[in-house]
Amino acid sequence: MRTLTLEDRKKIELMWRNNASTVKIAAELEISQCTVYTELKRGQETDSAGDAVLDENFRPAYSAERGQTVYQRNLRNRGRRPKRDIEQEGADGA
């Protein structure tokens, strides 16, 4: 399994704007169709109310930069939390 690069995400964005199907995008990048759907959800653009913005094909708009930013934020947040935070929460709640 490999992680998507910013270049991969830009290719997804370009193909998605050109009305390519998820099957075609997955075949082009040699990744799973499920990965394409996950990435489209990750980079989905939203308006101020939190609703999905539609592109010219009336599909949810995708931004490669947003996808990369969300991926990096999630990468930083994953894993076990430091023990000292857990101890402080226990002391505050008691």
Side-chain angles (χ1 to χ4, degrees):
M1 184 180 120
R2 67 180 183 93
T3 54
L4 295 175
T5 63
L6 183 57
E7 286 72 35
D8 293 334
R9 289 182 171 92
K10 286 182 180 181
K11 192 177 281 191
I12 291 172
E13 181 177 5
L14 180 66
M15 292 180 75
W16 187 248
R17 280 196 183 151
N18 291 332
N19 210 18
S21 68
T22 55
V23 175
K24 189 172 182 179
I25 295 171
E28 177 74 25
L29 294 175
E30 297 177 350
I31 57 175
S32 154
Q33 188 177 355
C34 183
T35 303
V36 175
Y37 278 116
T38 303
E39 186 57 35
L40 289 172
K41 184 78 172 165
R42 179 182 289 139
Q44 187 172 330
E45 296 199 24
T46 56
D47 59 12
S48 58
D51 297 326
V53 175
L54 300 180
D55 62 9
E56 61 272 5
N57 302 313
F58 301 103
R59 303 191 295 185
Y62 172 77
S63 167
E65 284 77 21
R66 179 175 170 84
Q68 184 73 18
T69 303
V70 170
Y71 170 74
Q72 288 175 337
R73 184 180 65 222
N74 291 344
L75 195 62
R76 273 194 312 272
N77 289 338
R78 78 178 180 190
R80 191 169 173 197
R81 298 289 171 255
K83 191 171 182 180
R84 63 175 174 252
D85 291 345
I86 297 170
E87 289 174 356
Q88 289 174 354
E89 288 174 8
D92 293 340

